[in-house]
Amino acid sequence: MKYTCVVISVADINAARKFYEGLFGLEVFQDYGRNIAFTCGLALQQDFDWLVNLPKEKVLEKSNNAEIAFEEQDFDGFLSKLKAYPDIEYLGDVIEHSWGQRVIRFYDLDGHIIEVGEDMKMVIKRFLASGMTMDEVSAKMDVSLEDLTNLLNR
């Protein structure tokens, strides 16, 4: 068994492709017209109802039961880039989870929840730069010193 990708329903394949390439820098792996697969394992499908053999009304927008998650090394830079998309509908402001990772959530063009979080390695570096020790970072993030070290070294 081999995992290949997640396929999401989109209304306009060209608009969705432009959105994902422009905002996230995704690269196309395969383009079949109404289906586009990116190298990261995300695929877009126009006419999703046809693909999965369901009535069109059974394909729901904003089902709010899954999210597509990304991590970004330059989180603040991404937030600036996101401002170039004025029609984005946000699920709220930037939050900082108890483990220190900052995230933003919003809907893509077709109502799929997108989460962009600060790269975990960058979270550790931010804590260390603030003067925290590795032991303090370990306690704050509830992660073992070994796992922190592995994250920093990969």
Side-chain angles (χ1 to χ4, degrees), residues 4 11 26-27 43 50 57-58 63 91 93-94 105 115 124 130 133 149:
T4 56
L26 300 188
E27 297 177 15
W50 163 83
E57 64 273 6
K58 292 283 189 178
S63 59
L91 275 76
D93 295 327
V94 173
R105 288 187 178 89
E115 173 192 295
I124 298 166
S130 76
T133 66
T149 302

Side-chain angles (χ1 to χ4, degrees), residues 105-118:
R105 288 187 178 89
F106 52 92
Y107 291 107
D108 75 357
L109 303 177
D110 295 282
H112 303 288
I113 297 175
I114 304 290
E115 173 192 295
V116 177
E118 184 178 18

Side-chain angles (χ1 to χ4, degrees), residues 19 23 77-86 88 90 104 106:
F19 178 80
L23 185 56
F78 176 79
L79 293 176
S80 294
K81 186 177 183 180
L82 194 56
K83 291 177 184 172
Y85 295 80
I88 293 280
Y90 294 90
I104 185 78
F106 52 92

